[in-house]
Amino acid sequence: MFKNPSPTLVSFITAISAAVVFVLFQFLYNRFSGDVYSVLHYAVDFFVLLIIAYLSAYFIVKHFVRRRIKLIYKSIAKQKLTSLEKNNPEIYSDNINKVEKLVEQWADQNNREIETLRELEEYRRNYIGNVSHELMTPIFNIQGYIYTLLDGAVNDEEKKFYYLKRAATNVDRLENIVSKLEIISKLESGHIVLNIEIFDIKELVNEVLHDNEMLALRKSIILSFKPGSDHSYLVKADRENIRIVLNNFIQNSIKYGHKTGKTSIGIYDMETNVLVEITDNGIGIPEEHIRHVFDRFYRVDKGRSRAEGGSGLGLSIVKHIIEAHHQTINVRSTPGVGSTFGFTLEKA
Ligand code: ADP
């Protein structure tokens, strides 16, 4: 009753308090001044004041406080009070409850929105910082090589060829970063429409293994299927995007693999899905880095990644592609032992 008092109750309590205080003062004053009032006199004063105070308090509460509450209610609820609510005698207490709840919800929602905006702002700042940092390195390199050529190296056949080759490598790097960023932004904005088809996943893995044979040969790494896990399965997915996924995993296993190492691919039946796993016996990933490897621009060893022509964007693209298929992606890794990256696909 006292938690959400009605205007009548508020007015009544205010009036009683005012009348009691007034009569008490009157009594004390009379005692000092020597006037003597009868009990009836005090009672009449008390009731007259009670009525006046009650009417005034009721008027103020109903017309002033309630109007303001209605205004707050309306602006928060963003809706007009219905005529039913207008005629409801309990509207005052109802509105107090509603306003209290709405203000809480509104504050909660605002806090969440502010938090999200802060995160987005932080993300945007980091993103721009990362992009410019990534682009800066090849741009500086190209600038350096071109100025060295202009400063005279162009006249030396051997130097000319060396600097032009280095500049070309850095242009390729720039192109690689920008095209990956374009893919990411398309994936994030949902502009890439998956071209879902039914195909044999083993066949696609075979194609990707063949495409990467030369790369693996340079480090004498053997690419093969895991014995017993090389069955054919028809899956429902975007073939070309899954090719990007497989290429990324296999190329990473070579980039971060040891010379004369081994990368094996396993395809496993999981009832409604198929699990594809790419396992290497390379450098592995320390535990504290594992949960970040799918983050944009994240590299465990920046030096090694750059030396291998990495941009830290590959796994982020891979994750987007698998998530667009509503499938899962995971990684297990132990430094010095190797890594296993896996993803699922829907069986056809
Ligand atoms: P990058 O272009 O740097 O290779 P990725 O997004 O493909 O970027 O990978 C992110 C980071 O995860 C890499 O820089 C590397 O540190 C780590 N990583 C990815 N694959 C492997 C792997 N097979 N073995 C060890 N580390 C890996």
Side-chain angles (χ1 to χ4, degrees), residues 163-205:
Y163 286 121
L164 279 176
K165 210 173 144 206
R166 301 298 295 258
T169 310
N170 280 276
V171 171
D172 289 347
R173 217 172 126 65
L174 265 185
E175 199 262 338
N176 177 31
I177 296 169
V178 174
S179 64
K180 279 188 174 163
L181 282 173
E182 207 187 340
I183 296 176
I184 289 186
S185 69
K186 273 189 187 154
L187 282 167
E188 281 186 352
S189 59
H191 284 154
I192 282 199
V193 184
L194 294 179
N195 178 22
I196 302 288
E197 49 185 316
I198 294 174
F199 62 93
D200 181 350
I201 183 68
K202 184 187 167 185
E203 214 174 82
L204 181 66
V205 172

Short mmCIF file of all heavy atoms in Angstrom, two decimals, residues 163-205:
data_model
loop_
_atom_site.label_atom_id
_atom_site.label_comp_id
_atom_site.label_asym_id
_atom_site.label_seq_id
_atom_site.Cartn_x
_atom_site.Cartn_y
_atom_site.Cartn_z
N TYR A 163 65.73 -4.71 -56.99
CA TYR A 163 64.77 -3.79 -56.35
C TYR A 163 63.38 -3.87 -56.99
O TYR A 163 62.37 -3.78 -56.31
CB TYR A 163 65.30 -2.34 -56.39
CG TYR A 163 66.42 -2.16 -55.38
CD1 TYR A 163 67.69 -1.74 -55.77
CD2 TYR A 163 66.18 -2.41 -54.03
CE1 TYR A 163 68.72 -1.58 -54.85
CE2 TYR A 163 67.21 -2.26 -53.09
CZ TYR A 163 68.46 -1.85 -53.51
OH TYR A 163 69.45 -1.71 -52.59
N LEU A 164 63.35 -4.07 -58.31
CA LEU A 164 62.03 -4.18 -58.97
C LEU A 164 61.30 -5.43 -58.50
O LEU A 164 60.10 -5.43 -58.27
CB LEU A 164 62.20 -4.22 -60.50
CG LEU A 164 62.39 -2.86 -61.15
CD1 LEU A 164 62.66 -3.01 -62.65
CD2 LEU A 164 61.15 -1.98 -60.94
N LYS A 165 62.06 -6.52 -58.32
CA LYS A 165 61.46 -7.77 -57.86
C LYS A 165 60.89 -7.59 -56.45
O LYS A 165 59.76 -8.03 -56.15
CB LYS A 165 62.53 -8.87 -57.87
CG LYS A 165 61.94 -10.22 -58.13
CD LYS A 165 62.99 -11.27 -58.29
CE LYS A 165 62.45 -12.55 -57.66
NZ LYS A 165 63.48 -13.42 -57.20
N ARG A 166 61.67 -6.90 -55.58
CA ARG A 166 61.19 -6.68 -54.21
C ARG A 166 59.95 -5.78 -54.21
O ARG A 166 59.01 -6.00 -53.46
CB ARG A 166 62.27 -6.01 -53.34
CG ARG A 166 63.56 -6.81 -53.23
CD ARG A 166 63.32 -8.16 -52.57
NE ARG A 166 62.90 -8.06 -51.20
CZ ARG A 166 63.70 -8.26 -50.15
NH1 ARG A 166 64.96 -8.61 -50.34
NH2 ARG A 166 63.25 -8.15 -48.93
N ALA A 167 59.97 -4.76 -55.09
CA ALA A 167 58.80 -3.84 -55.16
C ALA A 167 57.57 -4.62 -55.62
O ALA A 167 56.48 -4.47 -55.07
CB ALA A 167 59.11 -2.69 -56.11
N ALA A 168 57.79 -5.52 -56.62
CA ALA A 168 56.66 -6.30 -57.15
C ALA A 168 56.08 -7.21 -56.05
O ALA A 168 54.86 -7.34 -55.91
CB ALA A 168 57.12 -7.14 -58.34
N THR A 169 56.95 -7.82 -55.24
CA THR A 169 56.49 -8.69 -54.15
C THR A 169 55.61 -7.90 -53.19
O THR A 169 54.57 -8.36 -52.71
CB THR A 169 57.71 -9.27 -53.37
OG1 THR A 169 58.61 -9.81 -54.31
CG2 THR A 169 57.29 -10.29 -52.35
N ASN A 170 56.04 -6.65 -52.91
CA ASN A 170 55.26 -5.82 -51.98
C ASN A 170 53.95 -5.34 -52.58
O ASN A 170 52.97 -5.17 -51.87
CB ASN A 170 56.10 -4.63 -51.50
CG ASN A 170 57.04 -5.07 -50.39
OD1 ASN A 170 56.65 -5.12 -49.24
ND2 ASN A 170 58.27 -5.42 -50.76
N VAL A 171 53.93 -5.14 -53.90
CA VAL A 171 52.66 -4.77 -54.57
C VAL A 171 51.70 -5.97 -54.44
O VAL A 171 50.51 -5.79 -54.14
CB VAL A 171 52.90 -4.40 -56.05
CG1 VAL A 171 51.57 -4.25 -56.78
CG2 VAL A 171 53.68 -3.09 -56.16
N ASP A 172 52.23 -7.18 -54.63
CA ASP A 172 51.39 -8.38 -54.49
C ASP A 172 50.82 -8.46 -53.08
O ASP A 172 49.67 -8.84 -52.87
CB ASP A 172 52.22 -9.66 -54.75
CG ASP A 172 52.58 -9.80 -56.22
OD1 ASP A 172 51.99 -9.06 -57.03
OD2 ASP A 172 53.47 -10.61 -56.54
N ARG A 173 51.67 -8.12 -52.11
CA ARG A 173 51.25 -8.15 -50.71
C ARG A 173 50.10 -7.16 -50.47
O ARG A 173 49.10 -7.48 -49.83
CB ARG A 173 52.44 -7.75 -49.85
CG ARG A 173 52.53 -8.50 -48.58
CD ARG A 173 53.83 -8.18 -47.89
NE ARG A 173 53.53 -7.74 -46.55
CZ ARG A 173 52.99 -8.52 -45.63
NH1 ARG A 173 52.69 -9.76 -45.93
NH2 ARG A 173 52.74 -8.06 -44.44
N LEU A 174 50.27 -5.97 -51.04
CA LEU A 174 49.22 -4.94 -50.91
C LEU A 174 47.91 -5.46 -51.49
O LEU A 174 46.84 -5.35 -50.89
CB LEU A 174 49.62 -3.69 -51.70
CG LEU A 174 50.32 -2.57 -50.97
CD1 LEU A 174 50.50 -1.39 -51.91
CD2 LEU A 174 49.51 -2.12 -49.76
N GLU A 175 48.05 -6.04 -52.69
CA GLU A 175 46.86 -6.54 -53.39
C GLU A 175 46.19 -7.64 -52.58
O GLU A 175 44.97 -7.67 -52.43
CB GLU A 175 47.30 -7.05 -54.77
CG GLU A 175 46.20 -7.17 -55.78
CD GLU A 175 45.67 -8.58 -55.88
OE1 GLU A 175 46.41 -9.53 -55.49
OE2 GLU A 175 44.55 -8.75 -56.33
N ASN A 176 47.02 -8.49 -51.99
CA ASN A 176 46.52 -9.60 -51.17
C ASN A 176 45.73 -9.08 -49.96
O ASN A 176 44.62 -9.54 -49.68
CB ASN A 176 47.76 -10.42 -50.74
CG ASN A 176 47.39 -11.56 -49.84
OD1 ASN A 176 46.30 -12.11 -49.94
ND2 ASN A 176 48.30 -11.93 -48.95
N ILE A 177 46.30 -8.07 -49.28
CA ILE A 177 45.62 -7.52 -48.09
C ILE A 177 44.29 -6.87 -48.48
O ILE A 177 43.25 -7.13 -47.89
CB ILE A 177 46.53 -6.48 -47.37
CG1 ILE A 177 47.79 -7.16 -46.82
CG2 ILE A 177 45.77 -5.79 -46.24
CD1 ILE A 177 48.85 -6.19 -46.34
N VAL A 178 44.35 -6.04 -49.54
CA VAL A 178 43.14 -5.31 -49.93
C VAL A 178 42.04 -6.28 -50.39
O VAL A 178 40.87 -6.13 -50.01
CB VAL A 178 43.46 -4.25 -51.02
CG1 VAL A 178 42.19 -3.59 -51.52
CG2 VAL A 178 44.39 -3.20 -50.46
N SER A 179 42.44 -7.32 -51.15
CA SER A 179 41.38 -8.23 -51.62
C SER A 179 40.80 -9.02 -50.45
O SER A 179 39.60 -9.29 -50.41
CB SER A 179 41.88 -9.13 -52.74
OG SER A 179 42.88 -9.96 -52.26
N LYS A 180 41.64 -9.37 -49.45
CA LYS A 180 41.12 -10.09 -48.29
C LYS A 180 40.18 -9.19 -47.48
O LYS A 180 39.15 -9.63 -46.99
CB LYS A 180 42.26 -10.60 -47.42
CG LYS A 180 42.84 -11.88 -47.97
CD LYS A 180 43.83 -12.50 -47.04
CE LYS A 180 44.28 -13.85 -47.56
NZ LYS A 180 45.49 -14.32 -46.93
N LEU A 181 40.58 -7.92 -47.36
CA LEU A 181 39.71 -6.98 -46.62
C LEU A 181 38.36 -6.83 -47.31
O LEU A 181 37.32 -6.73 -46.67
CB LEU A 181 40.38 -5.60 -46.53
CG LEU A 181 41.48 -5.49 -45.48
CD1 LEU A 181 42.18 -4.15 -45.60
CD2 LEU A 181 40.89 -5.63 -44.08
N GLU A 182 38.41 -6.85 -48.64
CA GLU A 182 37.17 -6.72 -49.41
C GLU A 182 36.27 -7.94 -49.15
O GLU A 182 35.07 -7.79 -48.93
CB GLU A 182 37.52 -6.61 -50.88
CG GLU A 182 36.47 -5.85 -51.65
CD GLU A 182 36.73 -5.91 -53.14
OE1 GLU A 182 37.88 -6.18 -53.53
OE2 GLU A 182 35.76 -5.68 -53.89
N ILE A 183 36.90 -9.12 -49.14
CA ILE A 183 36.12 -10.34 -48.88
C ILE A 183 35.49 -10.26 -47.49
O ILE A 183 34.30 -10.52 -47.31
CB ILE A 183 37.01 -11.60 -48.98
CG1 ILE A 183 37.54 -11.78 -50.40
CG2 ILE A 183 36.24 -12.84 -48.55
CD1 ILE A 183 38.50 -12.93 -50.59
N ILE A 184 36.31 -9.85 -46.49
CA ILE A 184 35.79 -9.77 -45.12
C ILE A 184 34.61 -8.80 -45.04
O ILE A 184 33.58 -9.11 -44.46
CB ILE A 184 36.90 -9.33 -44.13
CG1 ILE A 184 37.89 -10.47 -43.96
CG2 ILE A 184 36.31 -8.95 -42.78
CD1 ILE A 184 38.94 -10.24 -42.92
N SER A 185 34.77 -7.61 -45.65
CA SER A 185 33.68 -6.64 -45.51
C SER A 185 32.43 -7.14 -46.22
O SER A 185 31.32 -6.92 -45.75
CB SER A 185 34.10 -5.24 -45.97
OG SER A 185 34.28 -5.24 -47.33
N LYS A 186 32.62 -7.85 -47.33
CA LYS A 186 31.44 -8.42 -48.02
C LYS A 186 30.77 -9.47 -47.15
O LYS A 186 29.56 -9.51 -47.01
CB LYS A 186 31.85 -9.04 -49.36
CG LYS A 186 31.87 -8.02 -50.47
CD LYS A 186 32.06 -8.70 -51.80
CE LYS A 186 32.25 -7.69 -52.90
NZ LYS A 186 32.99 -8.22 -54.02
N LEU A 187 31.59 -10.33 -46.54
CA LEU A 187 31.04 -11.39 -45.69
C LEU A 187 30.32 -10.78 -44.49
O LEU A 187 29.26 -11.24 -44.10
CB LEU A 187 32.16 -12.31 -45.19
CG LEU A 187 32.69 -13.33 -46.18
CD1 LEU A 187 33.98 -13.95 -45.69
CD2 LEU A 187 31.65 -14.43 -46.42
N GLU A 188 30.93 -9.72 -43.91
CA GLU A 188 30.33 -9.12 -42.72
C GLU A 188 29.05 -8.37 -43.01
O GLU A 188 28.15 -8.33 -42.19
CB GLU A 188 31.34 -8.19 -42.03
CG GLU A 188 32.32 -9.01 -41.25
CD GLU A 188 33.26 -8.19 -40.42
OE1 GLU A 188 33.26 -6.95 -40.56
OE2 GLU A 188 34.02 -8.79 -39.65
N SER A 189 29.00 -7.77 -44.18
CA SER A 189 27.79 -7.00 -44.47
C SER A 189 26.71 -7.90 -45.06
O SER A 189 25.64 -7.44 -45.42
CB SER A 189 28.12 -5.85 -45.43
OG SER A 189 28.65 -6.40 -46.61
N GLY A 190 27.02 -9.19 -45.18
CA GLY A 190 26.03 -10.15 -45.68
C GLY A 190 25.80 -10.02 -47.18
O GLY A 190 24.79 -10.49 -47.70
N HIS A 191 26.74 -9.37 -47.88
CA HIS A 191 26.55 -9.18 -49.32
C HIS A 191 26.95 -10.39 -50.16
O HIS A 191 26.69 -10.44 -51.34
CB HIS A 191 27.30 -7.93 -49.82
CG HIS A 191 26.58 -6.69 -49.43
ND1 HIS A 191 27.21 -5.48 -49.26
CD2 HIS A 191 25.28 -6.48 -49.13
CE1 HIS A 191 26.32 -4.58 -48.89
NE2 HIS A 191 25.14 -5.16 -48.80
N ILE A 192 27.66 -11.36 -49.50
CA ILE A 192 28.03 -12.55 -50.26
C ILE A 192 26.89 -13.54 -50.16
O ILE A 192 26.49 -13.94 -49.06
CB ILE A 192 29.35 -13.14 -49.76
CG1 ILE A 192 30.50 -12.31 -50.30
CG2 ILE A 192 29.47 -14.61 -50.16
CD1 ILE A 192 31.85 -12.97 -50.30
N VAL A 193 26.34 -13.88 -51.29
CA VAL A 193 25.26 -14.87 -51.29
C VAL A 193 25.90 -16.22 -51.60
O VAL A 193 26.64 -16.35 -52.57
CB VAL A 193 24.21 -14.53 -52.38
CG1 VAL A 193 23.03 -15.49 -52.31
CG2 VAL A 193 23.74 -13.09 -52.24
N LEU A 194 25.65 -17.18 -50.71
CA LEU A 194 26.27 -18.49 -50.90
C LEU A 194 25.61 -19.21 -52.08
O LEU A 194 24.39 -19.17 -52.24
CB LEU A 194 26.11 -19.33 -49.63
CG LEU A 194 26.86 -18.83 -48.40
CD1 LEU A 194 26.60 -19.75 -47.22
CD2 LEU A 194 28.36 -18.71 -48.65
N ASN A 195 26.47 -19.82 -52.86
CA ASN A 195 25.97 -20.59 -53.98
C ASN A 195 25.97 -22.07 -53.57
O ASN A 195 26.92 -22.81 -53.85
CB ASN A 195 26.89 -20.31 -55.19
CG ASN A 195 26.48 -21.08 -56.40
OD1 ASN A 195 25.33 -21.51 -56.51
ND2 ASN A 195 27.44 -21.30 -57.30
N ILE A 196 24.92 -22.45 -52.87
CA ILE A 196 24.89 -23.80 -52.30
C ILE A 196 24.66 -24.86 -53.39
O ILE A 196 23.75 -24.73 -54.20
CB ILE A 196 23.77 -23.91 -51.22
CG1 ILE A 196 23.97 -22.87 -50.12
CG2 ILE A 196 23.70 -25.33 -50.65
CD1 ILE A 196 25.12 -23.11 -49.18
N GLU A 197 25.55 -25.85 -53.39
CA GLU A 197 25.38 -26.96 -54.34
C GLU A 197 25.75 -28.27 -53.65
O GLU A 197 26.27 -28.26 -52.52
CB GLU A 197 26.24 -26.73 -55.59
CG GLU A 197 27.68 -26.37 -55.29
CD GLU A 197 28.47 -26.03 -56.55
OE1 GLU A 197 28.32 -26.74 -57.54
OE2 GLU A 197 29.25 -25.08 -56.51
N ILE A 198 25.47 -29.36 -54.31
CA ILE A 198 25.82 -30.66 -53.73
C ILE A 198 27.08 -31.16 -54.42
O ILE A 198 27.15 -31.19 -55.66
CB ILE A 198 24.65 -31.66 -53.90
CG1 ILE A 198 23.47 -31.16 -53.06
CG2 ILE A 198 25.06 -33.07 -53.49
CD1 ILE A 198 22.20 -31.96 -53.24
N PHE A 199 28.10 -31.47 -53.63
CA PHE A 199 29.33 -31.96 -54.25
C PHE A 199 30.04 -32.94 -53.31
O PHE A 199 29.70 -33.02 -52.11
CB PHE A 199 30.26 -30.78 -54.60
CG PHE A 199 30.69 -29.97 -53.41
CD1 PHE A 199 31.87 -30.24 -52.74
CD2 PHE A 199 29.90 -28.91 -52.95
CE1 PHE A 199 32.27 -29.49 -51.65
CE2 PHE A 199 30.30 -28.15 -51.86
CZ PHE A 199 31.49 -28.43 -51.21
N ASP A 200 31.02 -33.63 -53.87
CA ASP A 200 31.79 -34.60 -53.08
C ASP A 200 32.95 -33.87 -52.41
O ASP A 200 33.83 -33.34 -53.10
CB ASP A 200 32.29 -35.70 -54.05
CG ASP A 200 33.08 -36.78 -53.31
OD1 ASP A 200 33.38 -36.58 -52.12
OD2 ASP A 200 33.38 -37.81 -53.94
N ILE A 201 32.95 -33.88 -51.10
CA ILE A 201 33.97 -33.12 -50.36
C ILE A 201 35.36 -33.73 -50.58
O ILE A 201 36.36 -33.01 -50.65
CB ILE A 201 33.61 -32.99 -48.86
CG1 ILE A 201 34.65 -32.14 -48.10
CG2 ILE A 201 33.45 -34.32 -48.16
CD1 ILE A 201 34.66 -30.70 -48.46
N LYS A 202 35.42 -35.07 -50.74
CA LYS A 202 36.73 -35.72 -50.93
C LYS A 202 37.38 -35.23 -52.24
O LYS A 202 38.57 -34.97 -52.31
CB LYS A 202 36.57 -37.24 -50.96
CG LYS A 202 37.92 -37.93 -51.06
CD LYS A 202 37.80 -39.41 -51.25
CE LYS A 202 39.16 -39.95 -51.67
NZ LYS A 202 39.10 -41.36 -52.00
N GLU A 203 36.52 -35.08 -53.24
CA GLU A 203 37.00 -34.63 -54.55
C GLU A 203 37.59 -33.22 -54.44
O GLU A 203 38.67 -32.94 -54.96
CB GLU A 203 35.80 -34.59 -55.50
CG GLU A 203 36.13 -34.94 -56.93
CD GLU A 203 34.85 -35.00 -57.73
OE1 GLU A 203 34.38 -33.92 -58.14
OE2 GLU A 203 34.30 -36.11 -57.90
N LEU A 204 36.89 -32.35 -53.71
CA LEU A 204 37.37 -30.98 -53.54
C LEU A 204 38.69 -30.97 -52.76
O LEU A 204 39.64 -30.26 -53.13
CB LEU A 204 36.31 -30.12 -52.82
CG LEU A 204 36.70 -28.66 -52.62
CD1 LEU A 204 36.83 -27.92 -53.94
CD2 LEU A 204 35.69 -27.93 -51.74
N VAL A 205 38.77 -31.78 -51.69
CA VAL A 205 40.01 -31.84 -50.90
C VAL A 205 41.16 -32.27 -51.82
O VAL A 205 42.25 -31.69 -51.78
CB VAL A 205 39.87 -32.80 -49.70
CG1 VAL A 205 41.22 -33.02 -49.01
CG2 VAL A 205 38.85 -32.27 -48.69
#
